[in-house]
Amino acid sequence: MLRNHASKLAATTAVSAMLMAVAACGGSSGTDTATPGASSASSAAAPSGAKVGLAYDIGGRGDQSFNDAAAAGLEKATSELKLGEVKELEAGSGETGAQKEQRLRLLAQSGYNPVIAVGFAYSEAIKKVAGEFPDTKFAIVDDAAQGPNISNLVFAENEGSFLVGAAAALKTKKEHIGFVGGVQVPLIKKFEVGFTKGAQAVKPDIKIDVKYLTQPPDFGGFNDPAKGKTAAQGMYDAGADVVYQAAGGSGGGVFEAAKESKALAIGVDSDQALTADESVRGVIMTSMLKKVDVAVFDFLKSFVDGTVKAGPTTYDLKAGGVDYSTTGGQVDDIKLKLDEYKKKIIDGEIKVPAE
């Protein structure tokens, strides 16, 4: 990652202090991110209404990808819906499950309702804490944790990844592409499988390199741009000319490697040709759009409307929850072909496996 505003959660007392020191600073975006410290928090004053708590995954605001997409949905909701205070907290690298529980518990104890957890790493924490606060509505992005007051915002990452896999195969000049995953978990496997199937649909014999930066329980692979750069550089040096990254904050390193190798990369979650550091945007031929912003906004709107439902809401291609980006015009020449694949997936003619 080329910039990162994440910070460690050092102690429960520090987090408690941050939660008690709610400062309605205001701002053009409707939220303010606190300066780094033992925890990172922000609060915003909006019209009277729900007090929203949001807990980020590793990387937090500024990851130019997954967390920033959630932040965008929160900002839109703050601007357009009658929300009250908004509190954002960030995860720390290498933290324990107990720390995640504490983060969610402090939000709920402080009267924030609803509470949104960004990322599957909160799976066990949200099940426990939601059980302790049955009158609080919780949502989790990317996980199917069950509970009568838990809404699951999940995505068909395999479908969106199929499209950028097809794009990579259509664009490669060396018949050799690569995939860099942040952490080898089932969720990121969905990205890899979709990407591979999409590329093979275009060119069955295409060479595809795969590298995961870390293995669980080490989730640092989502926030280590140096490792991302090293992994991608190895692929480019071995002959790949397009690399897709599903690695969170580590993706910035993949883009740096692409630039230095005069090659191409594919972004993830957000339209990274718009969000990445300006110096590397030109190497991002497309991004797999995972509309976490839409899911977060939809959940908050349902809360305001009184229509929140527990259980999964799946954002797939048909629902417009995943897609590919066209910023920069680098896939304009293959857009018709990509849209043909898109239609076939939506119509059920192509079934994209998830594992």
Side-chain angles (χ1 to χ4, degrees):
M1 182 174 61
L2 299 172
R3 58 184 175 88
N4 183 5
H5 299 182
S7 54
K8 279 192 174 182
L9 177 67
T12 297
T13 54
V15 181
S16 299
M18 290 299 289
L19 274 171
M20 293 177 68
V22 177
C25 301
S28 60
S29 67
T31 60
D32 294 310
T33 301
T35 54
S39 70
S40 181
S42 67
S43 60
S48 61
K51 290 176 63 177
V52 180
L54 188 145
Y56 288 111
D57 204 349
I58 292 174
R61 273 185 178 264
D63 71 349
Q64 307 166 357
S65 184
F66 180 64
N67 288 290
D68 276 357
L74 179 63
E75 288 176 357
K76 181 182 179 188
T78 301
S79 174
E80 298 183 14
L81 306 176
K82 291 185 176 180
L83 303 182
E85 293 173 359
V86 172
K87 174 66 66 177
E88 302 168 60
L89 296 177
E90 294 184 357
S93 244
E95 69 179 17
T96 65
Q99 287 173 297
K100 288 181 169 58
E101 285 181 24
Q102 182 70 354
R103 185 175 300 114
L104 299 181
R105 187 176 292 113
L106 285 169
L107 288 169
Q109 284 175 339
S110 300
Y112 291 92
N113 182 20
V115 173
I116 302 171
V118 182
F120 67 86
Y122 284 98
S123 180
E124 293 304 315
I126 202 168
K127 284 188 286 187
K128 185 169 183 180
V129 177
E132 297 171 6
F133 297 89
D135 295 328
T136 299
K137 300 295 186 184
F138 291 82
I140 183 167
V141 179
D142 278 352
D143 191 78
Q146 295 183 349
N149 55 336
I150 301 175
S151 300
N152 313 104
L153 312 179
V154 294
F155 296 82
E157 296 93 349
N158 50 320
E159 293 183 355
S161 295
F162 182 101
L163 297 180
V164 298
L170 289 165
K171 282 292 188 176
T172 180
K173 297 177 180 178
K174 298 183 177 181
E175 316 303 309
H176 186 175
I177 59 178
F179 172 83
V180 174
V183 183
Q184 192 166 5
V185 291
L187 174 66
I188 305 304
K189 187 70 175 178
K190 288 172 66 179
F191 290 82
E192 179 204 332
V193 170
F195 179 71
T196 297
K197 295 300 182 183
Q200 291 173 340
V202 176
K203 295 177 179 176
D205 297 326
I206 192 169
K207 183 176 181 180
I208 306 172
D209 295 333
V210 174
K211 174 71 174 179
Y212 286 91
L213 303 181
T214 61
Q215 303 288 326
D218 180 1
F219 289 92
F222 290 129
N223 195 27
D224 194 332
K227 279 188 178 178
K229 182 175 182 179
T230 298
Q233 194 64 61
M235 294 178 183
Y236 293 128
D237 289 347
D241 58 355
V242 183
V243 173
Y244 175 37
Q245 62 86 13
S250 301
V254 175
F255 300 149
E256 290 179 347
K259 181 179 180 181
E260 291 178 10
S261 300
K262 295 181 171 54
L264 294 173
I266 296 174
V268 73
D269 296 337
S270 300
D271 185 350
Q272 295 195 284
L274 295 174
T275 64
D277 189 276
E278 290 185 11
S279 66
V280 297
R281 292 180 185 179
V283 304
I284 304 171
M285 59 174 265
T286 185
S287 296
M288 195 287 279
L289 301 178
K290 178 175 169 179
K291 300 183 182 179
V292 177
D293 57 333
V294 173
V296 169
F297 178 86
D298 285 353
F299 170 73
L300 290 172
K301 187 174 188 305
S302 71
F303 182 88
V304 171
D305 294 343
T307 59
V308 169
K309 295 181 180 179
T313 299
T314 301
Y315 291 83
D316 58 10
L317 266 179
K318 188 173 184 178
V322 294
D323 209 333
Y324 69 96
S325 67
T326 59
T327 299
Q330 296 194 58
V331 295
D332 286 356
D333 57 330
I334 59 172
K335 188 176 185 303
L336 287 177
K337 185 64 176 175
L338 296 179
D339 287 345
E340 286 178 14
Y341 282 121
K342 182 176 176 179
K343 184 176 187 304
K344 288 179 179 180
I345 294 170
I346 291 173
D347 291 346
E349 186 176 340
I350 293 177
K351 304 283 189 184
V352 185
E355 57 185 8

